[in-house]
Amino acid sequence: MEDLNPETAFDIVNRYLGWGDPGEPNRSGIWFVGIEEAENWGNLDIAKKQFKELELELIDGWYKNSFWEPTNSQLLKVIKEIAEEFGVSKEILWRSGCRIFQTNLYPLGKPNTNYWPSHYKELFNFGKQDVDRYKEEVEQDRFHNIKNRWVSSKPQATVCFGTSREYMKGFMEVFLNGSQLPLKKHPQHSIYYSDEKRILISQHPASHWWRKSGSDKEKLRIIKSKLKDEWKVVLP
């Protein structure tokens, strides 16, 4: 780790798919999919420690019995509320056997999607001018790895957060083979879904549109009802 180079650093974080228990066909659960983490990877010295912890804990691309959890507080709150609806308490969430998994389309965290930390050039060899190259590499490798793990896990349901054109395209590419399969839309809210594939795409909880006019509780209720009442998702 002392000779950590940008290519190795990026390979580590790009291979790290997420938190929790991705499940298996005979014990599948729920996958939650976000855009990216809400916090930066730290400077070079901090990152070396983080990467060492990451490599020690990394097992087939995710954490088992992880002491880390997603950094986006709004998204984390929503996931915890949905998990509790299915009897998964915060004490066992992200642990092996919880059957709840969270991944992100993109591996490099930022305070918001329009910001690019200047030290990412030194740390990962991706500066602000390299964003297109970064996304191309992620889409070629990470999207493929997420898809393969998702196919082998066969979750009962997949809930994605982010409805801008770019992120909708990413979710469609990973989980629907880039298909133009028409998604149904909730009549009042920006919640899209396929009953056949059991995939739902909603506005991100960090978006002001999620909370507009106090509609956050109603959107959460709709998602819970879709999972529990319509798709009959059952967790242990």
Side-chain angles (χ1 to χ4, degrees):
M1 233 5 111
E2 291 300 321
D3 297 323
L4 184 73
N5 60 59
E7 290 73 22
T8 301
F10 183 67
D11 179 65
I12 292 171
V13 298
N14 204 28
R15 284 189 292 113
Y16 170 50
L17 299 186
W19 296 261
D21 178 7
E24 298 172 0
N26 63 345
R27 45 173 297 279
S28 62
I30 304 173
W31 272 44
F32 294 97
V33 188
I35 299 167
E36 63 189 21
E37 281 306 294
E39 292 184 5
N40 299 343
W41 287 94
N43 63 37
L44 196 57
D45 291 334
I46 295 173
K48 284 181 180 180
K49 182 176 183 296
Q50 291 174 323
F51 293 152
K52 184 177 181 180
E53 293 172 349
L54 193 57
E55 283 207 308
L56 288 173
E57 285 284 317
L58 198 61
I59 303 174
D60 297 330
W62 71 92
Y63 273 143
K64 291 183 177 180
N65 298 319
S66 173
F67 54 87
W68 285 17
E69 65 179 7
T71 59
N72 188 297
S73 60
Q74 295 100 326
L75 178 57
L76 182 57
K77 180 181 177 182
V78 167
I79 292 175
K80 285 182 174 179
E81 288 197 34
I82 295 174
E84 288 175 0
E85 184 77 16
F86 288 90
V88 178
S89 69
K90 61 182 180 181
E91 287 77 21
I92 64 172
L93 184 62
W94 314 127
R95 305 288 177 173
S96 181
C98 71
R99 302 195 194 182
I100 287 181
F101 183 66
Q102 199 254 311
T103 186
N104 292 306
L105 288 178
Y106 296 95
L108 299 187
K110 308 192 298 292
N112 65 69
T113 56
N114 296 317
Y115 173 76
W116 193 264
S118 58
H119 69 281
Y120 276 8
K121 180 64 176 178
E122 177 188 14
L123 188 54
F124 300 113
N125 197 29
F126 289 111
K128 189 173 183 179
Q129 71 278 14
D130 304 311
V131 171
D132 289 342
R133 179 170 62 86
Y134 160 68
K135 290 183 176 179
E136 286 175 7
E137 290 196 23
V138 170
E139 291 166 11
Q140 289 172 4
D141 297 328
R142 183 180 178 84
F143 280 21
H144 178 73
N145 291 336
I146 293 173
K147 178 182 176 180
N148 283 346
R149 183 64 235 187
W150 180 78
V151 168
S152 66
S153 295
K154 295 184 178 178
Q156 296 178 55
T158 303
V159 181
C160 306
F161 294 99
T163 54
S164 73
R165 181 177 298 180
E166 176 184 0
Y167 305 128
M168 287 279 284
K169 181 181 177 183
F171 296 136
M172 298 285 281
E173 181 65 32
V174 174
F175 301 111
L176 293 168
N177 295 317
S179 146
Q180 296 303 310
L181 175 73
L183 297 174
K184 297 178 182 178
K185 181 183 180 297
H186 188 274
Q188 280 83 43
H189 301 288
S190 294
I191 297 176
Y192 306 85
Y193 58 91
S194 166
D195 289 322
E196 177 187 354
K197 300 293 185 180
R198 290 190 175 187
I199 293 173
L200 183 149
I201 305 175
S202 169
Q203 291 165 330
H204 197 286
S207 163
H208 72 279
W209 295 107
W210 171 270
R211 303 181 299 275
K212 186 178 180 181
S213 302
S215 61
D216 53 331
K217 289 182 174 58
E218 174 63 9
K219 291 168 185 172
L220 182 56
R221 185 198 65 77
I222 292 167
I223 294 172
K224 287 179 179 179
S225 177
K226 177 63 72 174
L227 294 172
K228 196 169 187 177
D229 302 327
E230 298 185 38
W231 292 348
K232 307 297 181 184
V233 172
V234 176
L235 298 182

